[in-house]
Amino acid sequence: MDRERVLELFDRYGDMVYRVALGYLRSSQEAEDAVQTVFLKLLEGAGTPWPGRERAFLTRITINHCKDILRSAKRYADTPLEELDLPAPPEDQEVFRAVMDLPEKYRLAVTLHCFEGYTFQEIARLLHIGPSAVSMRFHRAKTILKQQLGREE
């Protein structure tokens, strides 16, 4: 893929890739590295997204890259959430921190649905699970978040 196209995709989807990586890796430095790696893979010709499917393509590459990082034998300790520069307004940071504390499978469902706007069907395709499993994970995550935050809604 040519450099101009990759830069255009970076300008358009760089923040989204960062948020997905942060949801997986829970470390701002590793998430920044993941963003660089994802777009570097595009420059090196790792694939070309179909027109209109760039967002899903980049999400899938990001998820796969993050899984590779998590599988690696040596992984440095996570940065405590209190030290992260969170991509949320100050009034939403308590909720964002609570979402980041969720177990991975619930955190991904919430991150992709609430922060990135994917439907349950789209998340199911990205994670290779059924839509009902995505729905169940999302609703269980909501229950956990309500308990953690002590809220009814």
Side-chain angles (χ1 to χ4, degrees), residues 23-55:
Y24 254 100
L25 303 173
R26 299 177 58 186
S27 166
S28 59
Q29 291 85 11
E30 286 187 18
E32 289 170 3
D33 290 345
V35 171
Q36 291 178 1
T37 303
V38 165
F39 287 99
L40 217 116
K41 285 180 180 181
L42 289 178
L43 276 174
E44 294 171 348
T48 304
W50 291 358
R53 302 284 298 157
E54 295 91 353
R55 183 172 171 235

PDB file of all heavy atoms in Angstrom, residues 23-55:
ATOM      1  N   GLY A  23      -7.494  -1.212  25.050  1.00  0.00           N
ATOM      2  CA  GLY A  23      -8.452  -2.139  25.648  1.00  0.00           C
ATOM      3  C   GLY A  23      -7.893  -3.533  25.815  1.00  0.00           C
ATOM      4  O   GLY A  23      -8.205  -4.231  26.779  1.00  0.00           O
ATOM      5  N   TYR A  24      -7.057  -3.953  24.890  1.00  0.00           N
ATOM      6  CA  TYR A  24      -6.426  -5.268  24.987  1.00  0.00           C
ATOM      7  C   TYR A  24      -5.222  -5.253  25.918  1.00  0.00           C
ATOM      8  O   TYR A  24      -5.077  -6.104  26.784  1.00  0.00           O
ATOM      9  CB  TYR A  24      -5.939  -5.721  23.606  1.00  0.00           C
ATOM     10  CG  TYR A  24      -6.777  -6.795  22.985  1.00  0.00           C
ATOM     11  CD1 TYR A  24      -7.721  -6.492  22.032  1.00  0.00           C
ATOM     12  CD2 TYR A  24      -6.618  -8.123  23.337  1.00  0.00           C
ATOM     13  CE1 TYR A  24      -8.488  -7.465  21.449  1.00  0.00           C
ATOM     14  CE2 TYR A  24      -7.379  -9.105  22.765  1.00  0.00           C
ATOM     15  CZ  TYR A  24      -8.314  -8.775  21.822  1.00  0.00           C
ATOM     16  OH  TYR A  24      -9.079  -9.752  21.250  1.00  0.00           O
ATOM     17  N   LEU A  25      -4.325  -4.319  25.712  1.00  0.00           N
ATOM     18  CA  LEU A  25      -3.016  -4.364  26.355  1.00  0.00           C
ATOM     19  C   LEU A  25      -2.970  -3.667  27.714  1.00  0.00           C
ATOM     20  O   LEU A  25      -2.079  -3.947  28.511  1.00  0.00           O
ATOM     21  CB  LEU A  25      -1.965  -3.740  25.425  1.00  0.00           C
ATOM     22  CG  LEU A  25      -1.870  -4.398  24.056  1.00  0.00           C
ATOM     23  CD1 LEU A  25      -0.939  -3.608  23.153  1.00  0.00           C
ATOM     24  CD2 LEU A  25      -1.402  -5.841  24.188  1.00  0.00           C
ATOM     25  N   ARG A  26      -3.866  -2.710  27.945  1.00  0.00           N
ATOM     26  CA  ARG A  26      -3.951  -1.975  29.206  1.00  0.00           C
ATOM     27  C   ARG A  26      -2.663  -1.249  29.565  1.00  0.00           C
ATOM     28  O   ARG A  26      -2.352  -1.041  30.720  1.00  0.00           O
ATOM     29  CB  ARG A  26      -4.381  -2.909  30.328  1.00  0.00           C
ATOM     30  CG  ARG A  26      -5.744  -3.505  30.076  1.00  0.00           C
ATOM     31  CD  ARG A  26      -6.155  -4.458  31.121  1.00  0.00           C
ATOM     32  NE  ARG A  26      -6.153  -3.776  32.411  1.00  0.00           N
ATOM     33  CZ  ARG A  26      -6.366  -4.362  33.550  1.00  0.00           C
ATOM     34  NH1 ARG A  26      -6.597  -5.646  33.584  1.00  0.00           N
ATOM     35  NH2 ARG A  26      -6.352  -3.695  34.681  1.00  0.00           N
ATOM     36  N   SER A  27      -1.917  -0.880  28.580  1.00  0.00           N
ATOM     37  CA  SER A  27      -0.684  -0.126  28.775  1.00  0.00           C
ATOM     38  C   SER A  27      -0.594   0.889  27.649  1.00  0.00           C
ATOM     39  O   SER A  27      -0.622   0.528  26.470  1.00  0.00           O
ATOM     40  CB  SER A  27       0.527  -1.057  28.737  1.00  0.00           C
ATOM     41  OG  SER A  27       1.711  -0.316  28.596  1.00  0.00           O
ATOM     42  N   SER A  28      -0.497   2.158  28.014  1.00  0.00           N
ATOM     43  CA  SER A  28      -0.494   3.186  26.977  1.00  0.00           C
ATOM     44  C   SER A  28       0.732   3.077  26.077  1.00  0.00           C
ATOM     45  O   SER A  28       0.641   3.292  24.873  1.00  0.00           O
ATOM     46  CB  SER A  28      -0.594   4.584  27.591  1.00  0.00           C
ATOM     47  OG  SER A  28       0.474   4.829  28.466  1.00  0.00           O
ATOM     48  N   GLN A  29       1.894   2.727  26.653  1.00  0.00           N
ATOM     49  CA  GLN A  29       3.092   2.593  25.828  1.00  0.00           C
ATOM     50  C   GLN A  29       2.969   1.437  24.844  1.00  0.00           C
ATOM     51  O   GLN A  29       3.328   1.572  23.670  1.00  0.00           O
ATOM     52  CB  GLN A  29       4.347   2.386  26.705  1.00  0.00           C
ATOM     53  CG  GLN A  29       4.744   3.580  27.515  1.00  0.00           C
ATOM     54  CD  GLN A  29       3.987   3.672  28.839  1.00  0.00           C
ATOM     55  OE1 GLN A  29       3.306   2.740  29.243  1.00  0.00           O
ATOM     56  NE2 GLN A  29       4.105   4.805  29.505  1.00  0.00           N
ATOM     57  N   GLU A  30       2.461   0.308  25.310  1.00  0.00           N
ATOM     58  CA  GLU A  30       2.293  -0.838  24.412  1.00  0.00           C
ATOM     59  C   GLU A  30       1.224  -0.555  23.366  1.00  0.00           C
ATOM     60  O   GLU A  30       1.340  -0.988  22.222  1.00  0.00           O
ATOM     61  CB  GLU A  30       1.951  -2.095  25.203  1.00  0.00           C
ATOM     62  CG  GLU A  30       3.145  -2.657  25.949  1.00  0.00           C
ATOM     63  CD  GLU A  30       2.841  -3.994  26.599  1.00  0.00           C
ATOM     64  OE1 GLU A  30       1.853  -4.651  26.212  1.00  0.00           O
ATOM     65  OE2 GLU A  30       3.607  -4.377  27.483  1.00  0.00           O
ATOM     66  N   ALA A  31       0.191   0.187  23.749  1.00  0.00           N
ATOM     67  CA  ALA A  31      -0.851   0.543  22.786  1.00  0.00           C
ATOM     68  C   ALA A  31      -0.291   1.467  21.699  1.00  0.00           C
ATOM     69  O   ALA A  31      -0.601   1.303  20.518  1.00  0.00           O
ATOM     70  CB  ALA A  31      -2.034   1.209  23.494  1.00  0.00           C
ATOM     71  N   GLU A  32       0.555   2.423  22.087  1.00  0.00           N
ATOM     72  CA  GLU A  32       1.186   3.302  21.102  1.00  0.00           C
ATOM     73  C   GLU A  32       2.085   2.509  20.163  1.00  0.00           C
ATOM     74  O   GLU A  32       2.089   2.743  18.952  1.00  0.00           O
ATOM     75  CB  GLU A  32       1.989   4.392  21.808  1.00  0.00           C
ATOM     76  CG  GLU A  32       1.122   5.419  22.510  1.00  0.00           C
ATOM     77  CD  GLU A  32       1.907   6.353  23.410  1.00  0.00           C
ATOM     78  OE1 GLU A  32       3.163   6.246  23.461  1.00  0.00           O
ATOM     79  OE2 GLU A  32       1.277   7.198  24.062  1.00  0.00           O
ATOM     80  N   ASP A  33       2.832   1.560  20.723  1.00  0.00           N
ATOM     81  CA  ASP A  33       3.683   0.700  19.893  1.00  0.00           C
ATOM     82  C   ASP A  33       2.831  -0.132  18.932  1.00  0.00           C
ATOM     83  O   ASP A  33       3.210  -0.342  17.778  1.00  0.00           O
ATOM     84  CB  ASP A  33       4.533  -0.227  20.761  1.00  0.00           C
ATOM     85  CG  ASP A  33       5.628   0.505  21.518  1.00  0.00           C
ATOM     86  OD1 ASP A  33       5.918   1.677  21.175  1.00  0.00           O
ATOM     87  OD2 ASP A  33       6.186  -0.095  22.460  1.00  0.00           O
ATOM     88  N   ALA A  34       1.693  -0.613  19.418  1.00  0.00           N
ATOM     89  CA  ALA A  34       0.812  -1.419  18.579  1.00  0.00           C
ATOM     90  C   ALA A  34       0.283  -0.594  17.402  1.00  0.00           C
ATOM     91  O   ALA A  34       0.207  -1.089  16.279  1.00  0.00           O
ATOM     92  CB  ALA A  34      -0.350  -1.971  19.407  1.00  0.00           C
ATOM     93  N   VAL A  35      -0.055   0.661  17.657  1.00  0.00           N
ATOM     94  CA  VAL A  35      -0.535   1.539  16.583  1.00  0.00           C
ATOM     95  C   VAL A  35       0.536   1.667  15.512  1.00  0.00           C
ATOM     96  O   VAL A  35       0.263   1.522  14.311  1.00  0.00           O
ATOM     97  CB  VAL A  35      -0.930   2.930  17.126  1.00  0.00           C
ATOM     98  CG1 VAL A  35      -1.209   3.906  16.000  1.00  0.00           C
ATOM     99  CG2 VAL A  35      -2.142   2.822  18.040  1.00  0.00           C
ATOM    100  N   GLN A  36       1.761   1.915  15.940  1.00  0.00           N
ATOM    101  CA  GLN A  36       2.856   2.046  14.980  1.00  0.00           C
ATOM    102  C   GLN A  36       3.041   0.756  14.188  1.00  0.00           C
ATOM    103  O   GLN A  36       3.222   0.784  12.962  1.00  0.00           O
ATOM    104  CB  GLN A  36       4.152   2.404  15.695  1.00  0.00           C
ATOM    105  CG  GLN A  36       4.151   3.798  16.262  1.00  0.00           C
ATOM    106  CD  GLN A  36       5.437   4.111  17.013  1.00  0.00           C
ATOM    107  OE1 GLN A  36       6.346   3.279  17.096  1.00  0.00           O
ATOM    108  NE2 GLN A  36       5.514   5.305  17.559  1.00  0.00           N
ATOM    109  N   THR A  37       2.997  -0.362  14.869  1.00  0.00           N
ATOM    110  CA  THR A  37       3.206  -1.646  14.207  1.00  0.00           C
ATOM    111  C   THR A  37       2.100  -1.948  13.202  1.00  0.00           C
ATOM    112  O   THR A  37       2.369  -2.432  12.101  1.00  0.00           O
ATOM    113  CB  THR A  37       3.294  -2.774  15.252  1.00  0.00           C
ATOM    114  OG1 THR A  37       4.351  -2.472  16.166  1.00  0.00           O
ATOM    115  CG2 THR A  37       3.557  -4.108  14.597  1.00  0.00           C
ATOM    116  N   VAL A  38       0.857  -1.663  13.570  1.00  0.00           N
ATOM    117  CA  VAL A  38      -0.271  -1.922  12.673  1.00  0.00           C
ATOM    118  C   VAL A  38      -0.109  -1.141  11.374  1.00  0.00           C
ATOM    119  O   VAL A  38      -0.236  -1.691  10.276  1.00  0.00           O
ATOM    120  CB  VAL A  38      -1.610  -1.591  13.365  1.00  0.00           C
ATOM    121  CG1 VAL A  38      -2.745  -1.494  12.358  1.00  0.00           C
ATOM    122  CG2 VAL A  38      -1.928  -2.628  14.423  1.00  0.00           C
ATOM    123  N   PHE A  39       0.216   0.139  11.488  1.00  0.00           N
ATOM    124  CA  PHE A  39       0.339   0.951  10.272  1.00  0.00           C
ATOM    125  C   PHE A  39       1.640   0.647   9.521  1.00  0.00           C
ATOM    126  O   PHE A  39       1.693   0.776   8.301  1.00  0.00           O
ATOM    127  CB  PHE A  39       0.186   2.435  10.600  1.00  0.00           C
ATOM    128  CG  PHE A  39      -1.244   2.789  10.910  1.00  0.00           C
ATOM    129  CD1 PHE A  39      -1.681   2.911  12.213  1.00  0.00           C
ATOM    130  CD2 PHE A  39      -2.159   2.940   9.885  1.00  0.00           C
ATOM    131  CE1 PHE A  39      -3.003   3.214  12.501  1.00  0.00           C
ATOM    132  CE2 PHE A  39      -3.486   3.243  10.159  1.00  0.00           C
ATOM    133  CZ  PHE A  39      -3.910   3.374  11.472  1.00  0.00           C
ATOM    134  N   LEU A  40       2.646   0.193  10.229  1.00  0.00           N
ATOM    135  CA  LEU A  40       3.873  -0.237   9.554  1.00  0.00           C
ATOM    136  C   LEU A  40       3.609  -1.500   8.731  1.00  0.00           C
ATOM    137  O   LEU A  40       4.144  -1.654   7.632  1.00  0.00           O
ATOM    138  CB  LEU A  40       4.966  -0.507  10.590  1.00  0.00           C
ATOM    139  CG  LEU A  40       6.329  -0.088  10.114  1.00  0.00           C
ATOM    140  CD1 LEU A  40       6.822   1.020  11.014  1.00  0.00           C
ATOM    141  CD2 LEU A  40       7.262  -1.242  10.155  1.00  0.00           C
ATOM    142  N   LYS A  41       2.778  -2.402   9.277  1.00  0.00           N
ATOM    143  CA  LYS A  41       2.410  -3.609   8.537  1.00  0.00           C
ATOM    144  C   LYS A  41       1.722  -3.246   7.221  1.00  0.00           C
ATOM    145  O   LYS A  41       1.936  -3.901   6.207  1.00  0.00           O
ATOM    146  CB  LYS A  41       1.489  -4.498   9.375  1.00  0.00           C
ATOM    147  CG  LYS A  41       2.195  -5.249  10.476  1.00  0.00           C
ATOM    148  CD  LYS A  41       1.221  -6.107  11.249  1.00  0.00           C
ATOM    149  CE  LYS A  41       1.921  -6.853  12.357  1.00  0.00           C
ATOM    150  NZ  LYS A  41       0.999  -7.723  13.118  1.00  0.00           N
ATOM    151  N   LEU A  42       0.902  -2.208   7.265  1.00  0.00           N
ATOM    152  CA  LEU A  42       0.243  -1.765   6.036  1.00  0.00           C
ATOM    153  C   LEU A  42       1.260  -1.254   5.027  1.00  0.00           C
ATOM    154  O   LEU A  42       1.152  -1.523   3.832  1.00  0.00           O
ATOM    155  CB  LEU A  42      -0.785  -0.672   6.331  1.00  0.00           C
ATOM    156  CG  LEU A  42      -2.046  -1.089   7.058  1.00  0.00           C
ATOM    157  CD1 LEU A  42      -2.932   0.120   7.305  1.00  0.00           C
ATOM    158  CD2 LEU A  42      -2.790  -2.149   6.272  1.00  0.00           C
ATOM    159  N   LEU A  43       2.240  -0.490   5.516  1.00  0.00           N
ATOM    160  CA  LEU A  43       3.279   0.021   4.615  1.00  0.00           C
ATOM    161  C   LEU A  43       4.084  -1.106   3.990  1.00  0.00           C
ATOM    162  O   LEU A  43       4.509  -1.022   2.846  1.00  0.00           O
ATOM    163  CB  LEU A  43       4.229   0.955   5.370  1.00  0.00           C
ATOM    164  CG  LEU A  43       3.788   2.399   5.508  1.00  0.00           C
ATOM    165  CD1 LEU A  43       4.758   3.165   6.402  1.00  0.00           C
ATOM    166  CD2 LEU A  43       3.687   3.070   4.159  1.00  0.00           C
ATOM    167  N   GLU A  44       4.298  -2.157   4.775  1.00  0.00           N
ATOM    168  CA  GLU A  44       5.089  -3.292   4.296  1.00  0.00           C
ATOM    169  C   GLU A  44       4.276  -4.238   3.420  1.00  0.00           C
ATOM    170  O   GLU A  44       4.798  -5.232   2.942  1.00  0.00           O
ATOM    171  CB  GLU A  44       5.672  -4.053   5.486  1.00  0.00           C
ATOM    172  CG  GLU A  44       6.686  -3.235   6.259  1.00  0.00           C
ATOM    173  CD  GLU A  44       7.109  -3.902   7.556  1.00  0.00           C
ATOM    174  OE1 GLU A  44       6.460  -4.887   7.990  1.00  0.00           O
ATOM    175  OE2 GLU A  44       8.082  -3.425   8.150  1.00  0.00           O
ATOM    176  N   GLY A  45       2.992  -3.943   3.262  1.00  0.00           N
ATOM    177  CA  GLY A  45       2.173  -4.753   2.360  1.00  0.00           C
ATOM    178  C   GLY A  45       1.508  -5.935   3.008  1.00  0.00           C
ATOM    179  O   GLY A  45       1.306  -6.960   2.364  1.00  0.00           O
ATOM    180  N   ALA A  46       1.139  -5.829   4.283  1.00  0.00           N
ATOM    181  CA  ALA A  46       0.497  -6.936   4.993  1.00  0.00           C
ATOM    182  C   ALA A  46      -0.910  -7.213   4.475  1.00  0.00           C
ATOM    183  O   ALA A  46      -1.487  -8.239   4.772  1.00  0.00           O
ATOM    184  CB  ALA A  46       0.442  -6.642   6.488  1.00  0.00           C
ATOM    185  N   GLY A  47      -1.438  -6.320   3.705  1.00  0.00           N
ATOM    186  CA  GLY A  47      -2.776  -6.500   3.157  1.00  0.00           C
ATOM    187  C   GLY A  47      -3.337  -5.163   2.737  1.00  0.00           C
ATOM    188  O   GLY A  47      -2.806  -4.114   3.089  1.00  0.00           O
ATOM    189  N   THR A  48      -4.406  -5.227   2.010  1.00  0.00           N
ATOM    190  CA  THR A  48      -5.067  -4.009   1.560  1.00  0.00           C
ATOM    191  C   THR A  48      -6.539  -4.128   1.899  1.00  0.00           C
ATOM    192  O   THR A  48      -7.191  -5.091   1.492  1.00  0.00           O
ATOM    193  CB  THR A  48      -4.901  -3.821   0.044  1.00  0.00           C
ATOM    194  OG1 THR A  48      -3.509  -3.823  -0.268  1.00  0.00           O
ATOM    195  CG2 THR A  48      -5.515  -2.519  -0.407  1.00  0.00           C
ATOM    196  N   PRO A  49      -7.069  -3.163   2.639  1.00  0.00           N
ATOM    197  CA  PRO A  49      -8.489  -3.239   2.989  1.00  0.00           C
ATOM    198  C   PRO A  49      -9.373  -2.958   1.780  1.00  0.00           C
ATOM    199  O   PRO A  49      -9.007  -2.194   0.898  1.00  0.00           O
ATOM    200  CB  PRO A  49      -8.652  -2.144   4.045  1.00  0.00           C
ATOM    201  CG  PRO A  49      -7.538  -1.195   3.787  1.00  0.00           C
ATOM    202  CD  PRO A  49      -6.414  -2.002   3.217  1.00  0.00           C
ATOM    203  N   TRP A  50     -10.514  -3.599   1.752  1.00  0.00           N
ATOM    204  CA  TRP A  50     -11.487  -3.323   0.716  1.00  0.00           C
ATOM    205  C   TRP A  50     -12.063  -1.943   0.947  1.00  0.00           C
ATOM    206  O   TRP A  50     -12.213  -1.521   2.091  1.00  0.00           O
ATOM    207  CB  TRP A  50     -12.600  -4.348   0.738  1.00  0.00           C
ATOM    208  CG  TRP A  50     -12.182  -5.721   0.322  1.00  0.00           C
ATOM    209  CD1 TRP A  50     -10.955  -6.117  -0.106  1.00  0.00           C
ATOM    210  CD2 TRP A  50     -12.994  -6.879   0.326  1.00  0.00           C
ATOM    211  NE1 TRP A  50     -10.943  -7.452  -0.375  1.00  0.00           N
ATOM    212  CE2 TRP A  50     -12.195  -7.951  -0.116  1.00  0.00           C
ATOM    213  CE3 TRP A  50     -14.305  -7.129   0.654  1.00  0.00           C
ATOM    214  CZ2 TRP A  50     -12.689  -9.228  -0.237  1.00  0.00           C
ATOM    215  CZ3 TRP A  50     -14.781  -8.411   0.533  1.00  0.00           C
ATOM    216  CH2 TRP A  50     -13.982  -9.445   0.080  1.00  0.00           C
ATOM    217  N   PRO A  51     -12.381  -1.221  -0.083  1.00  0.00           N
ATOM    218  CA  PRO A  51     -12.989   0.103   0.089  1.00  0.00           C
ATOM    219  C   PRO A  51     -14.267   0.006   0.931  1.00  0.00           C
ATOM    220  O   PRO A  51     -15.104  -0.858   0.702  1.00  0.00           O
ATOM    221  CB  PRO A  51     -13.304   0.547  -1.344  1.00  0.00           C
ATOM    222  CG  PRO A  51     -12.360  -0.235  -2.195  1.00  0.00           C
ATOM    223  CD  PRO A  51     -12.165  -1.547  -1.493  1.00  0.00           C
ATOM    224  N   GLY A  52     -14.350   0.858   1.925  1.00  0.00           N
ATOM    225  CA  GLY A  52     -15.492   0.856   2.825  1.00  0.00           C
ATOM    226  C   GLY A  52     -15.354  -0.086   3.993  1.00  0.00           C
ATOM    227  O   GLY A  52     -16.178  -0.094   4.904  1.00  0.00           O
ATOM    228  N   ARG A  53     -14.319  -0.920   4.015  1.00  0.00           N
ATOM    229  CA  ARG A  53     -14.110  -1.904   5.095  1.00  0.00           C
ATOM    230  C   ARG A  53     -12.805  -1.630   5.851  1.00  0.00           C
ATOM    231  O   ARG A  53     -12.300  -2.495   6.555  1.00  0.00           O
ATOM    232  CB  ARG A  53     -14.063  -3.317   4.518  1.00  0.00           C
ATOM    233  CG  ARG A  53     -15.285  -3.753   3.749  1.00  0.00           C
ATOM    234  CD  ARG A  53     -16.451  -4.101   4.621  1.00  0.00           C
ATOM    235  NE  ARG A  53     -16.078  -5.220   5.475  1.00  0.00           N
ATOM    236  CZ  ARG A  53     -16.659  -5.499   6.621  1.00  0.00           C
ATOM    237  NH1 ARG A  53     -17.641  -4.769   7.055  1.00  0.00           N
ATOM    238  NH2 ARG A  53     -16.278  -6.515   7.349  1.00  0.00           N
ATOM    239  N   GLU A  54     -12.278  -0.435   5.715  1.00  0.00           N
ATOM    240  CA  GLU A  54     -10.988  -0.111   6.331  1.00  0.00           C
ATOM    241  C   GLU A  54     -11.031  -0.230   7.853  1.00  0.00           C
ATOM    242  O   GLU A  54     -10.104  -0.742   8.467  1.00  0.00           O
ATOM    243  CB  GLU A  54     -10.537   1.308   5.955  1.00  0.00           C
ATOM    244  CG  GLU A  54     -10.239   1.507   4.498  1.00  0.00           C
ATOM    245  CD  GLU A  54     -11.434   1.981   3.696  1.00  0.00           C
ATOM    246  OE1 GLU A  54     -12.556   2.048   4.241  1.00  0.00           O
ATOM    247  OE2 GLU A  54     -11.244   2.278   2.504  1.00  0.00           O
ATOM    248  N   ARG A  55     -12.121   0.247   8.456  1.00  0.00           N
ATOM    249  CA  ARG A  55     -12.235   0.238   9.908  1.00  0.00           C
ATOM    250  C   ARG A  55     -12.202  -1.195  10.455  1.00  0.00           C
ATOM    251  O   ARG A  55     -11.474  -1.493  11.404  1.00  0.00           O
ATOM    252  CB  ARG A  55     -13.532   0.947  10.309  1.00  0.00           C
ATOM    253  CG  ARG A  55     -13.733   1.075  11.768  1.00  0.00           C
ATOM    254  CD  ARG A  55     -14.948   1.980  12.025  1.00  0.00           C
ATOM    255  NE  ARG A  55     -15.292   1.948  13.409  1.00  0.00           N
ATOM    256  CZ  ARG A  55     -16.489   1.634  13.866  1.00  0.00           C
ATOM    257  NH1 ARG A  55     -17.455   1.357  13.041  1.00  0.00           N
ATOM    258  NH2 ARG A  55     -16.719   1.614  15.144  1.00  0.00           N
TER     259      ARG A  55
END
